Amino acid sequence: MKDLLNDLDPVQKEAVLATDGPVLIMAGAGSGKTRVLTYKIAYLISKGVKPENILASTFTNKAANEMKERVYNLLHRHPGVATTTMGSGDSIASLQNDKKSADSPYVGTFHAFCAKLLRFDGKYIGIPSGYLIYDDDDSLSLIKKIMKDLDISIKNFKPSSILNAISGAKGELMGPADYAQFARGYFSETVSKVYNIYQKTLLEINACDFDDLLMQTVKLFETNPQILEKWAGRFEYVLVDEYQDVNTAQYQLTKLLASMHGNLTVVGDAAQAIYSFRGADFRNILNFKMDFPNAKVFNLEQNYRSTGNILSAANKIISHNASHPVLKLWTKNDIGEKISIYGAMNEVDEANFIVDRIMGSRKPLSAFAVLYRTNAQSRTVEEAFLHSNIPYKLYGGVSFYARKEVKDVMAYLRLIANPRDMVSKNRTLKLGKRRFEKFQEMVEKLNLREHVIARSGATKQSEKKIAASSQDSTRNDDKKLPKPIELIDMVLETTDYLRVIDDGTEEGLSRVENVKELKSVAADFENLSQFLENVTLMEGKVAPEKSYELPITKDFVTLMTIHAAKGLEFDDVFIVGMEEGLFPHSRSMLETGQLEEERRLAYVGLTRARKKLYLSYAAHRLYFGTTSANLVSRFIVDIPEELVSAI
């Protein structure tokens, strides 16, 4: 174990050796936080702590599996680390299902831990061991049923919006009664009514939704001291990764689990807190020292990933945030190349610049990543890659033309062009019969030569009238049709489709932006036939043999949002759309807290790059079907001139 600790730098080693009492590890980007956690677990076991007395929690299954694998390898690679077989029954060993559990501590997500704990002791608050776990679809179906029973119109309130409000309340540990006390306004009062019945129904059918796993575990501990003593007594050491991302429920759960022994180690970085839309509150990491005045604090500021120039730029950008402490990253790596700034004429020029740089490089495609603020921005880059036959993969998303909302709108347009397209007809019917009827009425008002007839109540006379006007044509005459971009606006207005997909969440807003970006494609075409043909060709290039899901080669460029890129790293990174209103996003520019989160997002984006960083902006950008001229992003302006090189 002594040799193992020699792998750590001085500050990392100090953090690992600080085993007793509360410990706060502020870990900057690329500073080795996962290494510190895994080595600390191994060190605890080397001191004689039984693995079953250690709990390590993180946020994603991927992160948990990675940590579990690294701990397992450390335990078996170093013979000086003693391992202990765990007990049986309701011990923590029973909470783990893989073959490596017998001599490893519990490592998993908050939700997975709570889900299994409730199967042991949920009975004390009325949750049987065989309870059901409702996923989002199950919960949404139940919300819709309750709304129907209460005669609450889905036109006035989206079921998904109500579910999101309930989820937010549970994340703040607010049950139906608590929420009712603070409900103000028509929407909140409606949510309160639904929430009350929703929670009663879950209890009646012995089910918990995803948020209940945390909230009910906290309730179990707070109302049953003997159960809290059992679990808090078992875990002598509690370690939490990504502490800046915890919500109130996770925050309280962590404190309760560490309440008996007080050996709580949390790792995080307020400068990388980018998930407030999911309920995360970076202030919890700031409150740690208030909750534990005697906490030992370690700042991991040495970066092992990026060049000196990249870190200097990231430091400068994040230094403008005032609501949280900012670590100053440094590195022993080379200063490296200057950051390249490219001022493109438009979004197509921007995408072609990326293609030229990649094709002119001798590096493997896997060395490159293209990052963007919103999902809709991938469309232009995807098309440029497809035209240049550059294999790519969308990380955490689907190809632009394969996104459900894009395919839905395209189905309406294809049905206008060819009313006999049964595939498109069936797709649009699934979006709602009344919505489809309104769409039909819109088509008829266009005085087209053939119309879709699917209304169950359509009369023989109306069918004959429409059939007579069609004159056996199978396609509508483009000359009589508005331009494609105008047709999209008409379809969206008639069907109220944007309201269907916009549930007020970050994901809902992303779906809306994707639909609006389809208008940017349509803006280049004068008639519907040409537009549909272009989209079909684009779809054909990504399916099936060149699908992002089934790449014909393992060597591909990665495309993703900056949110999805957290935790990843690449040799060369392009961040596109560095313009005011796009990044920082227009929704965030009027509120200080949101603007600071945009700045943290920029910091995360820059620190994904190991060797080379490109930042680009466009003088004019066709976005959401409208050409605009935005100012260069303040995040570029923040970077000192000596660190950048204009291309």
Side-chain angles (χ1 to χ4, degrees):
M1 179 52 62
K2 181 179 179 181
D3 293 337
L4 182 145
L5 293 182
N6 287 337
D7 295 340
L8 305 174
D9 68 39
V11 182
Q12 290 175 338
K13 187 174 181 178
E14 284 185 55
V16 167
L17 292 174
T19 56
D20 298 330
V23 176
L24 170 62
I25 302 174
M26 300 290 285
S31 64
K33 67 178 179 62
T34 304
R35 167 181 285 251
V36 170
L37 279 177
T38 53
Y39 276 61
K40 188 163 192 173
I41 292 170
Y43 178 70
L44 287 169
I45 295 174
S46 75
K47 289 181 59 180
V49 178
K50 293 182 179 180
E52 65 184 71
N53 298 137
I54 302 172
L55 169 68
S57 188
T58 187
F59 281 82
T60 66
N61 288 323
K62 179 182 177 182
N65 290 334
E66 179 186 350
M67 188 182 299
K68 189 183 300 183
E69 186 73 23
R70 291 172 70 168
V71 170
Y72 179 80
N73 291 336
L74 279 175
L75 294 175
H76 290 78
R77 193 166 66 238
H78 295 270
V81 180
T83 57
T84 305
T85 301
M86 299 184 190
S88 57
D90 67 347
S91 73
I92 197 63
S94 303
L95 293 181
Q96 308 214 70
N97 299 318
D98 59 80
K99 63 182 180 181
K100 301 175 182 178
S101 300
D103 57 359
S104 298
Y106 181 83
V107 181
T109 65
F110 284 102
H111 291 88
F113 170 73
C114 291
K116 294 174 183 179
L117 186 149
L118 287 173
R119 297 205 184 278
F120 290 126
D121 293 324
K123 58 190 175 185
Y124 292 99
I125 53 172
I127 299 175
S129 60
Y131 74 93
L132 302 172
I133 298 178
Y134 263 33
D135 62 20
D136 289 342
D137 289 338
D138 297 328
S139 295
L140 191 60
S141 296
L142 179 55
I143 292 292
K144 289 178 179 177
K145 180 183 182 303
I146 294 171
M147 291 177 66
K148 183 177 180 180
D149 293 342
L150 293 177
D151 197 25
I152 299 173
S153 172
I154 60 174
K155 292 183 178 180
N156 297 328
F157 301 103
K158 288 181 178 297
S160 54
S161 296
I162 290 180
L163 180 59
N164 288 331
I166 292 174
S167 176
K170 290 185 175 183
E172 293 296 320
L173 297 176
M174 297 176 64
D178 300 316
Y179 187 88
Q181 292 180 6
F182 295 95
R184 299 291 184 274
Y186 193 27
F187 176 75
S188 294
E189 291 171 357
T190 301
V191 170
S192 181
K193 294 177 184 177
V194 175
Y195 187 8
N196 186 47
I197 298 175
Y198 173 76
Q199 203 59 26
K200 286 181 179 178
T201 304
L202 288 178
L203 184 63
E204 290 170 358
I205 62 178
N206 295 327
C208 288
D209 64 18
F210 205 56
D211 298 297
D212 276 331
L213 300 177
L214 302 178
M215 186 174 77
Q216 296 291 8
T217 301
V218 172
K219 177 183 177 182
L220 172 65
F221 286 162
E222 292 181 337
T223 57
N224 294 270
Q226 77 281 10
I227 302 301
L228 173 60
E229 182 179 352
K230 169 186 173 182
W231 291 98
R234 171 168 294 159
F235 295 120
E236 297 177 23
Y237 294 89
V238 178
L239 303 93
V240 182
D241 193 13
E242 303 287 7
Y243 199 68
Q244 77 280 352
D245 293 333
V246 299
N247 61 17
T248 299
Q250 292 157 339
Y251 177 72
Q252 187 64 18
L253 175 65
T254 299
K255 290 176 60 178
L256 288 168
L257 285 169
S259 61
M260 183 167 293
H261 297 286
N263 300 322
L264 173 62
T265 296
V266 302
V267 182
D269 181 10
Q272 296 186 76
I274 58 174
Y275 297 119
S276 64
F277 61 91
R278 296 180 185 172
D281 188 349
F282 73 89
R283 289 173 297 185
N284 288 325
I285 201 170
L286 307 183
N287 293 334
F288 189 85
K289 287 187 288 186
M290 296 175 58
D291 293 333
F292 304 97
N294 61 331
K296 299 173 184 175
V297 181
F298 300 92
N299 293 336
L300 302 185
E301 296 179 306
Q302 182 176 355
N303 177 282
Y304 293 89
R305 176 188 301 154
S306 306
T307 65
N309 279 335
I310 292 172
L311 294 183
S312 294
N315 284 335
K316 191 62 178 178
I317 289 175
I318 198 64
S319 68
H320 291 272
N321 276 10
S323 64
H324 56 82
V326 174
L327 301 176
K328 189 172 183 179
L329 299 181
W330 63 277
T331 184
K332 291 182 179 179
N333 296 338
D334 294 336
I335 294 177
E337 295 184 51
K338 290 186 176 183
I339 298 165
S340 294
I341 309 294
Y342 183 66
M345 293 183 293
N346 51 44
E347 73 284 352
V348 176
D349 181 33
E350 181 181 52
N352 289 336
F353 164 74
I354 297 172
V355 168
D356 291 342
R357 287 286 157 160
I358 292 175
M359 295 186 72
S361 171
R362 295 182 180 180
K363 296 181 180 180
L365 297 177
S366 58
F368 298 94
V370 181
L371 309 183
Y372 33 81
R373 174 61 180 84
T374 66
N375 265 309
Q377 291 172 259
S378 76
R379 194 267 306 174
T380 308
V381 180
E382 283 189 70
E383 292 189 358
F385 282 6
L386 291 170
H387 285 307
S388 301
N389 293 316
I390 296 178
Y392 69 91
K393 181 176 182 179
L394 281 131
Y395 186 96
V398 298
S399 175
F400 180 79
Y401 292 106
R403 293 167 191 168
K404 179 184 181 302
E405 56 274 12
V406 173
K407 293 178 75 69
D408 285 346
V409 176
M410 289 303 302
Y412 283 118
L413 298 178
R414 286 182 169 128
L415 204 51
I416 292 175
N418 182 4
R420 299 183 182 183
D421 182 351
M422 295 305 297
V423 173
S424 295
K425 178 180 176 181
N426 290 336
R427 187 180 188 97
T428 54
L429 279 169
K430 289 179 181 178
L431 295 173
K433 181 179 177 182
R434 180 56 186 157
R435 184 167 287 108
F436 183 79
E437 290 175 346
K438 290 183 177 180
F439 168 71
Q440 280 186 284
E441 294 170 0
M442 181 203 81
V443 174
E444 292 176 11
K445 289 179 181 178
L446 290 173
N447 193 29
L448 303 178
R449 294 190 302 169
E450 184 169 338
H451 310 280
V452 188
I453 301 178
R455 274 183 272 182
S456 58
T459 64
K460 292 288 185 180
Q461 291 80 0
S462 64
E463 291 185 15
K464 289 180 179 180
K465 181 178 179 181
I466 295 172
S469 67
S470 70
Q471 297 179 350
D472 296 325
S473 173
T474 59
R475 292 184 64 85
N476 291 310
D477 188 351
D478 273 342
K479 294 181 180 179
K480 292 188 176 182
L481 287 173
K483 294 180 180 180
I485 191 170
E486 296 171 349
L487 282 172
I488 291 177
D489 283 333
M490 294 173 67
V491 166
L492 296 178
E493 181 179 357
T494 300
T495 63
D496 200 18
Y497 181 73
L498 293 184
R499 186 177 178 278
V500 174
I501 60 176
D502 184 6
D503 57 8
T505 65
E506 189 77 10
E507 290 79 5
L509 293 172
S510 179
R511 290 190 289 268
V512 170
E513 290 178 341
N514 286 331
V515 171
K516 290 181 177 179
E517 181 59 14
L518 185 63
K519 293 170 62 178
S520 297
V521 185
D524 288 335
F525 298 90
E526 292 295 318
N527 64 69
L528 183 59
S529 301
Q530 292 177 352
F531 170 64
L532 295 177
E533 181 179 308
N534 174 77
V535 172
T536 300
L537 290 174
M538 288 295 104
E539 291 175 324
K541 286 189 176 183
V542 296
E545 68 277 10
K546 291 185 181 179
S547 168
Y548 73 96
E549 294 176 336
L550 299 171
I552 58 176
T553 174
K554 293 183 179 180
D555 191 24
F556 49 77
V557 181
T558 300
L559 276 63
M560 68 179 83
T561 64
I562 302 176
H563 279 103
K566 188 172 182 294
L568 302 176
E569 57 186 63
F570 303 88
D571 279 354
D572 292 24
V573 170
F574 298 86
I575 303 182
V576 301
M578 297 290 288
E579 300 144 33
E580 293 288 292
L582 193 52
F583 193 25
H585 199 283
S586 58
R587 296 195 304 268
S588 308
M589 294 173 64
L590 298 179
E591 203 276 313
T592 301
Q594 293 183 3
L595 185 57
E596 286 208 350
E597 180 147 335
E598 290 289 293
R599 194 175 293 280
R600 292 193 292 270
L601 191 60
Y603 173 81
V604 167
L606 267 65
T607 53
R608 298 312 94 194
R610 286 192 286 250
K611 298 179 179 179
K612 181 62 182 177
L613 178 63
Y614 299 89
L615 306 178
S616 61
Y617 62 92
H620 298 88
R621 183 177 298 275
L622 179 62
Y623 197 56
F624 299 164
T626 302
T627 299
S628 59
N630 297 325
L631 297 173
V632 177
S633 171
R634 67 191 67 193
F635 303 145
I636 287 183
V637 177
D638 286 342
I639 303 174
E641 291 185 9
E642 63 268 20
L643 300 179
V644 304
S645 174
I647 298 178

